Amino acid sequence: MDKPDLAMNRKGVVLTMDALFALALLLISAVLIIMMLARPSAQQPPGSQAAGDMMDSLKSMKLAELDGNPRYPYANYVLHNNLTSAFNRTVIEAIADLYMSNKTGEAQNLSSEMLEPAIPGDYGVDLMIENSSTFNSMFSSSRGAQRNYVSVARHFIYYNNVTREIRLVLYK
């Protein structure tokens, strides 16, 4: 009688180990599938983050940091002549303030000084601001580029008790 009990115990251990092994394989395959789905596509075109990187630069660069820098004479002019509010400390806020206070020429000059050298020559650029649910162009330079490939970045500012969206569009 001892032999059938021993055989039943071995059969139970083998089936339990088999089930645990199958569960482990299922868990490993699920983790691998999730990892493959979560990684970015290899099919992204080069430069797809160009507008985002440029917008990050504009919204993190402070106008006061450019004081005295000979590469940015118009930014120094805006800063020293108090053309923009002291509350607008970043470059993108200063550009938006100039544009919204009807100083469009100054906004275009500051935008040109910041964007023209930073963007490759074969790209076009549009800097737009939301004004009463439509977008107005603060700065535009096509440089002969077609609108075949577009990269867009957004930033939100609070101006005159209204949240406004600023879009930077790069196209090739």
Side-chain angles (χ1 to χ4, degrees):
M1 278 210 155
D2 287 335
K3 292 202 180 214
D5 289 334
L6 186 60
M8 290 297 275
N9 286 340
R10 284 186 186 164
K11 187 175 180 183
V13 169
V14 169
L15 291 177
T16 303
M17 293 300 289
D18 203 25
L20 289 175
F21 182 69
L23 187 62
L25 283 177
L26 185 64
L27 183 64
I28 290 171
S29 63
V31 167
L32 288 175
I33 289 172
I34 289 172
M35 285 176 35
M36 290 178 71
L37 291 176
R39 89 180 153 169
S41 172
Q43 301 294 330
Q44 287 182 337
S48 63
Q49 292 297 321
D53 293 343
M54 180 56 63
M55 183 61 84
D56 288 343
S57 297
L58 291 175
K59 68 183 183 183
S60 65
M61 189 183 327
K62 303 219 183 305
L63 201 57
E65 293 173 353
L66 304 176
D67 190 16
N69 190 333
R71 295 179 76 189
Y72 303 105
Y74 202 80
N76 287 311
Y77 171 76
V78 168
L79 188 62
H80 294 294
N81 291 324
N82 296 324
L83 295 180
T84 183
S85 169
F87 296 110
N88 300 315
R89 298 187 178 170
T90 65
V91 171
I92 195 68
E93 290 171 348
I95 292 170
D97 182 40
L98 289 170
Y99 184 81
M100 295 303 287
S101 60
N102 293 324
K103 298 176 185 170
T104 56
E106 288 85 353
Q108 288 177 349
N109 289 340
L110 185 57
S111 300
S112 175
E113 184 174 85
M114 293 295 148
L115 295 174
E116 288 286 346
I119 297 172
D122 57 342
Y123 280 83
V125 60
D126 283 328
L127 185 62
M128 300 178 289
I129 189 166
E130 181 182 18
N131 192 7
S132 63
S133 74
T134 61
F135 281 91
N136 297 335
S137 178
M138 292 190 290
F139 175 73
S140 181
S141 176
S142 67
R143 303 191 224 176
Q146 302 292 323
R147 293 187 185 259
N148 294 331
Y149 167 73
V150 176
S151 176
V152 179
R154 305 181 318 165
H155 179 61
F156 294 93
I157 62 167
Y158 190 70
Y159 186 83
N160 283 347
N161 297 326
V162 177
T163 301
R164 300 180 191 276
E165 179 183 351
I166 297 176
R167 288 186 186 170
L168 177 66
V169 180
L170 297 179
Y171 54 90
K172 192 169 183 171

